[in-house]
Amino acid sequence: MEKNSPPPNNGSSTVEISRARAAERCAVTIAIDSNNIRPLYEQSCDTAFLLQRELEVWATALNHPTLTEFTLHNPTRFLQAHELTALIRTLAKLYNIQPIEKRLHTVNCDLADLNRNWLGLFKGLGFNRCLVEIALSDLENTPIVMQKLAKIKEFGFAQLGLVVYPAPALPDLKTAITPLLKTFNQLHIFLGHTSHNALDTNFELEPDEDSHISINVGPGVDAFVYSEHRYKLHNISLYTQALLNHKLPISTPITLPPRPIN
């Protein structure tokens, strides 16, 4: 257990979120990262079922909030196509999904993991941004990278970007991507959690808008509700049991602020 972390319990009942149903519909961002889901997969849990169940209990607790941003990181490593489809259907059923021009649904995959079948599925499920993870050394082989990006571009994602690891110095990055920008003039470059608009010659940072509620799905991945840090259950057994009992897998209950008076 991390230092200063409160001891885990058996989960927080959605009933304890007393103000949720009285609150004005809130906005949330949700992220599912393969690195955080790995413990479920390694312990032979029904990963897809538990992901769906956590999405369900959060939706109930938060009174079916508006989903403004959804990020799926390397889903091909822990989900099959039909499981991913079921996951997105759960989101569509239980959350208020914004029109495509007002939402940001991102799939983030390693370049080696992407193929036409997965890309077609992502596009069909409503993802409008595709981020491709690539090593800085791979940028030296520009023709191959350009060929693969051209195939991804055919699927018509509203945004196409590269996530470069390890993060290089900006002058080095700019030199490396100059050939790509001549072909992909709307390309965005992301260095970890810091994004840079490749169209800007000064590489100004793009501002990140803070969401009211940020949920990272999976065991031990903390959530932030109106700037309050909520510790998720790390123990896989306790995490699973909480979800099976329709409880939030967190250590402490949440209360939402009352609806503002106009």
Side-chain angles (χ1 to χ4, degrees):
M1 183 181 301
E2 296 180 357
K3 187 177 181 181
N4 298 327
S5 297
N9 59 17
N10 292 323
S12 176
S13 170
T14 57
V15 176
E16 294 172 333
I17 308 179
S18 58
R19 299 183 185 179
R21 291 171 180 80
E24 190 172 86
R25 178 173 278 177
C26 54
V28 301
T29 66
I30 296 176
I32 302 178
D33 189 327
S34 63
N35 294 320
N36 302 327
I37 305 306
R38 187 182 303 277
L40 297 177
Y41 185 82
E42 291 176 344
Q43 294 196 28
S44 300
C45 299
D46 189 340
T47 303
F49 169 78
L50 291 174
L51 296 180
Q52 286 183 251
R53 179 57 62 87
E54 184 170 348
L55 291 175
E56 290 171 2
V57 296
W58 278 109
T60 301
L62 300 174
N63 194 25
H64 305 284
T66 295
L67 179 62
T68 56
E69 295 187 29
F70 177 60
T71 301
L72 202 56
H73 187 270
N74 284 320
T76 61
R77 298 179 183 177
F78 63 89
L79 289 175
Q80 297 182 38
H82 71 277
E83 294 174 326
L84 175 57
T85 301
L87 196 68
I88 300 303
R89 287 176 177 171
T90 297
L91 285 175
K93 179 181 179 181
L94 299 177
Y95 292 78
N96 177 33
I97 306 297
Q98 293 286 78
I100 193 166
E101 65 274 8
K102 294 184 178 181
R103 71 173 186 252
L104 187 60
H105 287 196
T106 302
V107 59
N108 185 332
C109 285
D110 189 280
L111 185 61
D113 293 337
L114 289 172
N115 57 44
R116 296 189 68 87
N117 290 335
W118 277 112
L119 288 166
L121 180 63
F122 297 146
K123 181 64 177 179
L125 292 176
F127 287 90
N128 55 3
R129 179 166 71 168
C130 181
L131 300 184
V132 181
E133 290 189 1
I134 187 170
L136 179 62
S137 58
D138 290 337
L139 290 175
E140 298 174 0
N141 196 346
T142 303
I144 297 297
V145 174
M146 289 181 67
Q147 183 182 32
K148 292 184 177 181
L149 288 179
K151 291 181 179 180
I152 297 173
K153 188 177 179 181
E154 292 176 4
F155 288 86
F157 294 99
Q159 282 191 30
L160 175 61
L162 292 180
V163 182
V164 183
Y165 292 101
L170 293 183
D172 295 337
L173 175 63
K174 192 171 181 180
T175 299
I177 67 170
T178 295
L180 297 175
L181 293 181
K182 293 179 180 179
T183 301
F184 306 99
N185 60 2
Q186 296 293 328
L187 193 65
H188 288 251
I189 306 299
F190 295 81
L191 308 178
H193 296 293
T194 303
S195 59
H196 301 270
N197 187 340
L199 296 177
D200 190 331
T201 56
N202 294 319
F203 280 79
E204 294 292 337
L205 293 179
E206 295 177 347
D208 292 325
E209 295 183 0
D210 292 331
S211 174
H212 289 299
I213 299 176
S214 177
I215 301 168
N216 293 295
V217 179
V221 193
D222 300 333
F224 295 86
V225 180
Y226 291 99
S227 300
E228 292 185 9
H229 188 178
R230 296 297 172 179
Y231 294 93
K232 299 278 289 294
L233 299 176
H234 288 252
N235 182 280
I236 300 299
S237 179
L238 292 178
Y239 171 84
T240 301
Q241 194 60 43
L243 293 178
L244 292 178
N245 291 330
H246 298 277
K247 294 182 177 181
L248 290 174
I250 59 177
S251 301
T252 53
I254 298 172
T255 56
L256 299 184
R259 179 183 302 174
I261 299 176
N262 295 327

